[in-house]
Structure formats: C-alpha cells, structure tokens
Amino acid sequence: MASVQKEIIIDADPAEVWAVISDFTDGPVRMAPGFVTDSRLDEPDVRIATFADGTIARERLIALDDQSRRLAYSVIGDTMAPTHDNASMQVFAHSDGRSRFVWIHDVQPDELAIAMGAAMDYGLNIFKQTMEPR
C-alpha cells in the first residue's frame, strides 16, 4: 500500500484552519475553492466532492475529533475508486499562532499515489492562499 504524506505551515490560527477542515460537508470547497467545485452530503456520513477536472470522489467520514483537530475519511468510490483508501487531516499549533497541517492518504493500488500526491500538493497551495491574510 502506498502512503502519501503532505505537510504545510499556514499563517493562520489553528482554530480557523480546523473550522474549515472539520466542516465535513462544505470543507473541501472552503479549503480549495475552484479546485473543488462542489461538496455535498449524500448520506449522513458520506459526502460527494466534485473537482474542476470532473473527478468525483465519494468519501465516508470515519472520525472527527475536535480535541485533537483530526478528521479521518475514506474515498469509497465514484470516478475516483481506489480498492482501499484511508485518509486523515490534522491541524497542529505551530509557532507564533500559525498552524501545521498534516494530510495523509494510504491508498491502493499504489499507482494512485502519484496522482493523489499531485492533487494534494495543488489543493494545499490553494488552501494556504485561502487561509492566509492578504
């Protein structure tokens, strides 16, 4: 199984970053507007995220922990259909009121890791721009 881990420092308060990440329904659009064009609940714990390139990911909420600022989810199908996926996003306090954001995907088949890593990099750059004051 391939594992992709990305980290980024965001010049924003951890509570503000967590407010976006913890919003399971609209978080993807709030995190990367334009890259993610739609996100909606399909079931109480399943969202459908649509990306600008037409990719659609059906994602199941696994855990949402406000105390540790950690969200875990799994891509379970649609046009993005790994045989296995486990993902987590976590926000940590960093120096001077900034945030360290860690995003991990464990995915099969292994070949998906390259495209997934590229999409994560792209989304993180947008997230950083969206969250940081101008």
Side-chain angles (χ1 to χ4, degrees):
M1 181 174 320
S3 186
V4 182
Q5 181 170 331
K6 304 291 181 174
E7 292 190 28
I8 194 167
I9 302 300
I10 300 172
D11 189 15
D13 183 87
E16 294 173 14
V17 175
W18 177 241
V20 172
I21 298 306
S22 66
D23 180 356
F24 186 70
T25 304
D26 296 319
V29 174
R30 293 175 62 196
M31 179 181 173
F35 179 55
V36 180
T37 58
D38 187 49
S39 181
R40 61 182 169 78
L41 282 184
D42 187 49
E43 299 173 32
D45 64 344
V46 176
R47 71 181 173 203
I48 298 175
T50 303
F51 296 81
D53 68 357
T55 299
I56 300 172
R58 187 175 173 82
E59 301 170 332
R60 180 177 308 283
L61 177 63
I62 305 299
L64 181 68
D65 184 340
D66 287 320
Q67 185 172 354
S68 66
R69 294 186 183 121
R70 181 177 179 272
L71 169 77
Y73 66 98
S74 181
V75 177
I76 58 172
D78 218 301
T79 65
M80 182 186 293
T83 56
H84 175 81
D85 178 73
N86 187 59
S88 66
M89 297 176 160
Q90 192 162 6
V91 181
F92 299 92
H94 197 66
S95 62
D96 300 325
R98 297 182 300 163
S99 301
R100 181 170 64 97
F101 178 69
V102 179
W103 190 3
I104 301 170
H105 263 282
D106 298 317
V107 64
Q108 286 181 329
D110 292 354
E111 299 77 40
L112 288 177
I114 294 169
M116 194 166 280
M120 290 165 70
D121 283 335
Y122 190 78
L124 284 174
N125 287 329
I126 295 170
F127 188 34
K128 184 174 176 68
Q129 292 172 12
T130 300
M131 293 302 302
E132 291 185 347
R134 299 180 202 270

